[in-house]
Amino acid sequence: MMNRVYLNELSLEGQFENFNKFFCEIKSMIKCLKYVNEQGEKIYKSSDFYERKITPDKTWNDLRGEKSDIARRLKSLLLSTTDSPPFWDLEEIGQDLSAIYQWNDLDVSGTSIAEAAEARGVLFSFPLEKFTDKNLNIIKNERDMLDVFSVSSMKHFNEWLWENEDIDIYNYLSCRYDATRLNFSRLEREYGFDDFEKDEVYDCIRTFDKFVQLEDWNAVFQDKALVYKKYLPSSKGKNWFLTSEYSDKQIDKFRCVNPKRCFGYREKGIFYVLRMERDHSISDNG
């Protein structure tokens, strides 16, 4: 079960030119809201959230009158998120109402920011530069430091979920490397990371980061640390993929800090990860 999720009312201050602009810019945050809903978790907000301005002259409450196609698709999720309990300010409040909570010289006492900080929760913020995907250092009574992570995109929420052990390695990697040259949607979990130590997993993540950050495929092929090459088993009996559904694919592999190897195949510029090898025993035969 993840820590409490709060909606940051201060991240709406009429910064969007119109509702269409708002809908376009919150697409990544919508993924966060959907994820929380799918997990059956609650989203906490202040009871007066509906009063917050989306555009200079339109509030959250005015969303109800929007009739565009995109509004119809998103209104149900957005309005149900804010219309339904829980409202943290109508329940047992976690923050000390006699205390002063400050962030960047701004008094945030009595807001979802302070509430999320006291609850050690995560804060969902709509796109606004000062809140977008960053850690907020909250000072309580000029002496106590409280941190709260403000999330506006699924990429950064994914990092928070991983650090808080609320997501497994497979879903984490799928999100972290979404829309890159690495794809984890076909990784066979029985040949995955279940036997890897934590430091070995981080070795792999550092290698995956390098893999996707290299300029192009030529750079991948030429990188001496990756040692990207074809998997060429010495015989059919040694072919790790002979009876798999990928037996007709040209399997390649690359190194994730010795002795670990990553196996998969390349198709239309994407490397589909299929299996991880921890001890090089498979690679000894190809």
Side-chain angles (χ1 to χ4, degrees):
M1 181 176 180
M2 70 178 68
N3 293 14
R4 283 189 173 188
V5 177
Y6 293 82
L7 206 54
N8 181 9
E9 69 273 12
L10 298 188
S11 65
L12 286 179
E13 51 181 42
Q15 70 265 37
F16 300 97
E17 182 180 351
N18 51 51
F19 277 132
N20 282 339
K21 189 78 170 175
F22 169 68
F23 291 138
C24 287
E25 293 191 21
I26 66 169
K27 288 180 180 177
S28 189
M29 188 182 177
I30 288 293
K31 293 181 180 179
C32 299
L33 297 175
K34 284 183 176 178
Y35 179 87
V36 173
N37 281 348
E38 288 167 358
Q39 303 308 306
E41 300 287 348
K42 299 174 181 178
I43 298 178
Y44 291 78
K45 55 272 172 184
S46 62
S47 57
D48 61 355
F49 190 91
Y50 65 92
E51 297 177 358
R52 301 302 301 183
K53 283 191 173 183
I54 295 176
T55 75
D57 61 347
K58 298 285 188 181
T59 67
W60 189 270
N61 197 45
D62 291 319
L63 277 176
R64 303 173 199 284
E66 282 298 294
K67 301 185 184 303
S68 65
D69 288 342
I70 191 168
R72 281 193 287 270
R73 290 198 300 272
L74 297 181
K75 271 198 310 183
S76 176
L77 174 64
L78 292 173
L79 292 177
S80 65
T81 296
T82 52
D83 287 356
S84 304
F87 303 106
W88 62 261
D89 55 336
L90 299 182
E91 299 184 353
E92 184 177 350
I93 294 176
Q95 63 186 289
D96 181 355
L97 294 181
S98 66
I100 301 297
Y101 297 82
Q102 289 183 296
W103 170 68
N104 285 358
D105 297 323
L106 178 68
D107 186 348
V108 294
S109 306
T111 70
S112 293
I113 296 177
E115 191 70 14
E118 283 285 12
R120 303 296 190 270
V122 62
L123 191 70
F124 280 5
S125 297
F126 290 92
L128 187 63
E129 197 281 329
K130 61 186 177 183
F131 291 122
T132 300
D133 293 330
K134 60 185 63 175
N135 193 59
L136 308 182
N137 303 122
I138 313 302
I139 307 297
K140 178 182 177 182
N141 289 335
E142 299 185 341
R143 64 175 186 273
D144 298 328
M145 177 76 75
L146 302 172
D147 290 335
V148 61
F149 197 61
S150 175
V151 169
S152 299
S153 71
M154 192 61 210
K155 284 276 189 183
H156 282 78
F157 186 37
N158 186 56
E159 295 300 323
W160 184 89
L161 291 168
W162 173 247
E163 290 299 322
N164 286 274
E165 300 182 347
D166 284 319
I167 193 172
D168 65 31
I169 182 62
Y170 305 103
N171 287 307
Y172 171 70
L173 293 176
S174 291
C175 183
R176 183 181 178 94
Y177 299 106
D178 182 44
T180 71
R181 65 168 64 98
L182 271 180
N183 185 295
F184 288 85
S185 65
R186 299 172 191 176
L187 174 61
E188 299 173 283
R189 294 195 179 195
E190 61 267 37
Y191 303 105
F193 296 90
D194 292 351
D195 294 329
F196 281 50
E197 298 293 337
K198 193 167 187 177
D199 61 338
E200 292 178 306
V201 172
Y202 280 105
D203 280 344
C204 293
I205 290 173
R206 284 190 289 272
T207 302
F208 297 151
D209 285 349
K210 178 181 183 178
F211 192 97
V212 301
Q213 289 163 8
L214 288 170
E215 182 178 1
D216 53 30
W217 275 102
N218 283 333
V220 172
F221 300 150
Q222 294 169 14
D223 191 276
K224 293 182 179 180
L226 291 176
V227 195
Y228 186 102
K229 61 172 67 173
K230 291 181 179 180
Y231 168 55
L232 299 171
S234 55
S235 67
K236 281 190 175 182
K238 298 291 186 180
N239 187 340
W240 201 21
F241 294 87
L242 182 63
T243 60
S244 80
E245 63 179 295
Y246 304 104
S247 59
D248 62 332
K249 302 289 186 184
Q250 170 55 60
I251 304 297
D252 296 338
K253 62 178 181 175
F254 62 88
R255 182 166 60 193
C256 294
V257 182
N258 264 334
K260 299 175 287 295
R261 294 294 188 273
C262 176
F263 288 75
Y265 66 93
R266 190 161 53 102
E267 186 173 273
K268 295 181 179 179
I270 303 296
F271 186 89
Y272 290 93
V273 177
L274 298 180
R275 298 179 182 180
M276 297 298 302
E277 179 193 21
R278 188 184 182 196
D279 61 5
H280 205 265
S281 59
I282 302 297
S283 293
D284 283 341
N285 297 291

